Amino acid sequence: LIISEYVEGSSNNKYIEIFNGTGSNIDLSDYELQLFANGSSSPISNALSGTLSTGNTKVFRNSGANIYTGTTVVSSSTNFNGNDAIALHKISTNSFVDIFGVIGNDPGSNWSIGGNTTENKTLVRKGFVFGGVTTNPSTFSTLGTDWTSYPEDTVSNLGTHSFDGGLSPSYVTGY
């Protein structure tokens, strides 16, 4: 499982998409979406539910989000701004499956690396990425390499994820 899309749109238009590229259906009741607001090390957690079939996505949204008309689940973990870390956490192993940002770090208004920024943008995970960031990084270095940036309020990619099978996930080590 990976966080495959991040929409930090206008007003309350905040979305997080999770993609299942594992090859197996996943019971989401063993996972939670966590928001680490304003550099906090303590999350706001939302337990997930249902099954996410292999090759499919699930989209979570802020309760006030209204620009995407596809199927979504309301989550308080989507009350983020461009300076908040988000994590997909596996409950049974008490481990991170994927981290967006840097937990416990407030970068100011946003993270900005490699021409990408987390403020007022839509970010889509590149198709070669098949493993999440599982250890809290010291910098958000994957922002510049693993994400494609789109203008604010772009939701045309939500609900699907282009996955090409990936490369060795060795780039996620050493954080």
Side-chain angles (χ1 to χ4, degrees):
L1 295 178
I2 61 169
I3 297 171
S4 52
E5 191 158 349
Y6 163 95
V7 178
E8 206 280 297
S10 60
S11 187
N12 291 318
N13 289 307
K14 318 292 184 191
Y15 299 88
I16 291 291
E17 177 187 85
I18 296 173
F19 172 70
N20 178 3
T22 66
S24 300
N25 295 339
I26 298 292
D27 177 1
L28 292 177
S29 67
D30 193 24
Y31 296 86
E32 55 191 5
L33 193 58
Q34 297 181 331
L35 169 65
F36 296 86
N38 302 314
S40 177
S41 295
S42 299
I44 296 168
S45 297
N46 284 155
L48 306 184
S49 62
T51 299
L52 183 55
S53 300
T54 188
N56 288 317
T57 63
K58 192 160 199 167
V59 178
F60 300 89
R61 70 174 174 89
N62 180 288
S63 62
N66 60 14
I67 58 173
Y68 175 67
T69 58
T71 302
T72 61
V73 175
V74 173
S75 170
S76 63
S77 293
T78 56
N79 288 335
F80 55 83
N81 291 307
N83 65 344
D84 300 325
I86 300 159
L88 182 59
H89 180 258
K90 187 169 184 174
I91 298 165
S92 64
T93 59
N94 191 28
S95 61
F96 293 114
V97 176
D98 200 4
I99 300 169
F100 180 92
V102 180
I103 296 168
N105 174 259
D106 186 344
S109 59
N110 63 64
W111 282 282
S112 183
I113 296 174
N116 287 346
T117 182
T118 55
E119 183 179 29
N120 302 326
K121 293 291 182 184
T122 294
L123 297 166
V124 176
R125 205 77 172 262
K126 292 182 179 178
F128 69 80
V129 177
F130 73 93
V133 177
T134 59
T135 302
N136 190 29
S138 58
T139 64
F140 192 6
S141 60
T142 60
L143 176 61
T145 57
D146 293 3
W147 297 89
T148 301
S149 179
Y150 293 91
E152 181 178 42
D153 292 333
T154 300
V155 295
S156 55
N157 294 301
L158 276 174
T160 62
H161 181 64
S162 295
F163 180 61
D164 66 16
L167 301 172
S168 169
S170 62
Y171 68 90
V172 299
T173 63
Y175 285 98

